[in-house]
Amino acid sequence: MPYLLQVDFPYPGPWGDAMTGAMAGLAQSIAGEPGLLWKLWTENEAAGEAGGIYLFSDRPSAEAYRDMHARRLKGFGIAPVNAKIFAVNEALSRIDRAPL
């Protein structure tokens, strides 16, 4: 069963294309994380927040990434880091064309 990890945190920027340039290396690293199926990068410049929505193949992979990522962000002085894990209802998600 897939599991979704939702993460958000305070972020001062950069945003948009500048964020893409600044975070491309990190994105490549995340793409190799065990159990990761995909990630959506999220940003809300008006609120000063960024984060991501991740889909993992299993709960242990989602938990391991959540814990590592929270430590990494806190090491950069970013706090609080909000993270939640949800089980995915595959049958309903397929009706809505979710890329599982």
Side-chain angles (χ1 to χ4, degrees), residues 23-33 36 41:
M23 301 296 176
L26 179 59
Q28 291 290 341
S29 171
I30 292 169
E33 287 293 327
L36 180 72
W41 289 71

Side-chain angles (χ1 to χ4, degrees), residues 23-96:
M23 301 296 176
L26 179 59
Q28 291 290 341
S29 171
I30 292 169
E33 287 293 327
L36 180 72
L37 300 174
W38 52 256
K39 176 188 179 181
L40 297 173
W41 289 71
T42 58
E43 56 183 276
N44 184 336
E45 185 175 0
E49 295 177 328
I53 306 294
Y54 307 74
L55 186 66
F56 284 90
S57 59
D58 56 86
R59 186 174 186 96
S61 295
E63 291 171 343
Y65 183 80
R66 175 201 60 203
D67 296 346
M68 179 279 297
H69 192 46
R71 284 191 306 273
R72 174 173 49 201
L73 289 170
K74 288 177 184 173
F76 294 150
I78 297 173
V81 176
N82 304 306
K84 295 180 182 179
I85 295 176
F86 300 88
V88 173
N89 183 312
E90 293 182 73
L92 288 173
S93 297
R94 281 194 177 91
I95 292 170
D96 296 323

